[in-house]
Amino acid sequence: MSTSPATPSAAAEPAVKAVQVHKAFGDLHVLKGVDLTVAPGTVTVILGPSGSGKSTFLRLINQLETLTGGVIEVQGERIGVKRVEGKNGTSYLQTLTDKEIARQRSHLGMVFQRFNLFPHMTALENVMEAPVHVLKMDKREARALAVKELERVGLGERLDYYPAQLSGGQQQRVAIARALAMKPDIMLFDEPTSALDPELVGEVLGVMRSLADDGMTMIVVTHEIGFAKEVADQVVFMDGGVVVEQGGPEIIDHPKEARFQDFLQHVL
Amino acid sequence: MPHHEPMDGEGLPIPNRINAKPVRKTGQIVAAVIVALLAAMLIKGLITNPRLEWNVVWKYLFNENVLAGVGYTLLLTVISMVVAIILAVILAIMRKSLNPVLRGVSWAYIWFFRGTPVYTQLVFWGLFSVLIPKLSLGIPFTSVEFWSINSSEVITAFNAAWLGLALNEAAYLSEIVRAGLEAVDPGQTEAAQALGMKRSQIMRRVILPQAMRIIIPPTGNETIGMLKTTSLVLAVPFTLDLQFATNAIASRIYKPIPLLLVAGLWYLFITSILMVLQSRLEKHFGKGFEARRVRTKGDVPPSTTDSKIEKQDTVNKDNQATMLGLNA
Ligand SMILES: Nc1ncnc2c1ncn2[C@@H]1O[C@H](COP(=O)(O)OP(=O)(O)OP(=O)(O)O)[C@@H](O)[C@H]1O
Ligand SMILES: [Mg+2]
């Protein structure tokens, strides 16, 4: 396998490229060779039944789990490991330092199913936290940025509310603002609306739609088929740890594989 | 029913506001009367019993030696708790470290200091300068020595007292801290990692503040326990604490009971102060958890367009209204 050197060469370089990705938790082989390429500025929606490894795949991209096999590149740079020159012309793989991992993560924003807001901080403090303590941004500057991001997700009037005082939909929008404040190039969403009451799903999807319109590169795991049809540039159906079918959003209306047809019948 | 127009907090009328009288609970009234009677009997007994010798209590309550004892007891409690808390956090973080050496050291520390009586440990610290006359820093089994000092200069009776108390307490507290750290949702760490925060930042800014909420109540318990454990420092021997001071007076004037009362009253007084401090801390670290509309000062109420928030508010105001009704 030849990996390209980590230089930002052509504009057409994929935002994320996964080649034969494997993940095993002990004896449990969860991902069994996933290939996926995500072009910059596009929205990829990952569909699939529970336990098919969708969350695991997203978590690998963000290095919340470590890769068992295969290669993931983010903007052309291999994540998690680097090749080191050894003696007499040999080379070997070495895990990255915490600092290098943090740098690679800085290109990625992640939104979780259960929001994971910091409950002891207000909405504003949640969004300011990383700019101040990771980017070492000046407090006043960070505050202005946080206000802007919260206004962008429609929460300009909830700055001083604690997460416990916000509805699920509002909490998830704060979580999106918190990720956006770090100016990521790629946003990962792991079932962002699954923990929400049905009447609150729309407000979160609305924010995601406008993000997509602004040209954000997004990988979204969701069961919202309508959102996938409307917003996705690429749809991926995973089952049993492999990509079973992939293509444009039209494959949702015309699935080829029996497993995908089956899945869609159960979801719709 | 009185017919003035009922309003909510924002001046909007609430039609048909329910103003029901709470159902009468006879059992509660009977219980209250019995308890009040018993309490009155107890107080009368305490005041009028001549054997308690309240005049002696009063005479020695603000005795110079007693006050110094209160001071030393407080000082010992505060120093040993502060040192113990710092050590306990370090031990708890070591216990959860990826490094097996650190985990092992932490485990062994807790095993040893929890496994031996604090009295024994205090005796040991008292004898320290006899057992180990010189403290030095150097390379073992060689004559290389960078620095050394006589133990008796460092390990004075007072230092031995708080050191012994703190090292013992740290072992207990570290288990409390560990339980607190483990109670924080792992999703918090993941979210912080995804934001690019470092391990130390995640611990300090995200995990510890949330763990504090769980750590503080049992730590308050431990602090009050420590207040009374300080009386064991006579094992060192350190002889200026409250218990020892009152004992000394009691044996001099042959009046043990009134001086026990003196000590007891002071311990109660300090405990009350500590309890106030604890509830302050609980409030501080509870913010965001019991949060229902905690607004910072000067914050203009946001124009409510959200149904959920509005619903919560209404519930709150109802509660307030009932409270007022009961008081009136
Ligand atoms: N840390 C872990 N340790 C062990 N097994 C794990 C771990 N994380 C995930 N798994 C297992 O991996 C499999 C895939 O999990 P994953 O969460 O990726 O599925 P998913 O497609 O996201 O499902 P869902 O729709 O329910 O979220 C499951 O069988 C799960 O039990
Ligand atoms: Mg999942």
Side-chain angles (χ1 to χ4, degrees), chain B residues 55-198:
Chain B
N55 56 332
V56 181
V57 171
W58 190 245
K59 185 171 166 207
Y60 285 98
L61 194 55
F62 299 102
N63 172 287
E64 183 180 345
N65 290 344
V66 171
L67 288 184
V70 170
Y72 272 112
T73 290
L74 252 180
L75 201 60
L76 280 175
T77 308
V78 171
I79 296 182
S80 42
M81 279 314 283
V82 168
V83 173
I85 288 170
I86 294 169
L87 253 177
V89 171
I90 296 170
L91 284 167
I93 293 173
M94 276 167 69
R95 192 79 191 275
K96 293 173 71 67
S97 155
L98 299 174
N99 182 336
V101 176
L102 294 184
R103 277 205 307 273
V105 169
S106 172
W107 183 89
Y109 182 99
I110 294 166
W111 171 77
F112 180 80
F113 283 95
R114 260 197 332 182
T116 52
V118 63
Y119 192 88
T120 313
Q121 289 171 32
L122 286 167
V123 170
F124 170 81
W125 287 108
L127 293 174
F128 190 87
S129 48
V130 178
L131 297 171
I132 303 158
K134 209 170 92 173
L135 286 172
S136 64
L137 209 63
I139 299 169
F141 308 115
T142 66
S143 56
V144 182
E145 194 178 277
F146 307 119
W147 175 87
S148 80
I149 193 165
N150 282 335
S151 300
S152 55
E153 287 174 39
V154 195
I155 315 287
T156 59
F158 180 72
N159 286 350
W162 66 257
L163 197 63
L165 292 171
L167 293 184
N168 177 74
E169 184 60 32
Y172 287 91
L173 279 181
S174 82
E175 289 293 280
I176 292 173
V177 174
R178 185 166 68 104
L181 296 179
E182 281 168 6
V184 177
D185 180 359
Q188 293 286 306
T189 304
E190 292 188 346
Q193 278 178 328
L195 288 168
M197 293 173 76
K198 287 188 296 195

Side-chain angles (χ1 to χ4, degrees), chain A residues 54-55 113 190-191 221:
Chain A
K54 310 178 297 290
S55 298
Q113 181 173 347
D190 190 2
E191 301 201 32
V221 173

Side-chain angles (χ1 to χ4, degrees), chain A residues 25 28 30 48-57 65 113 190-191 221 223:
Chain A
F25 294 104
L28 185 67
V30 175
S50 181
S52 54
K54 310 178 297 290
S55 298
T56 304
F57 183 64
E65 306 284 357
Q113 181 173 347
D190 190 2
E191 301 201 32
V221 173
H223 293 295

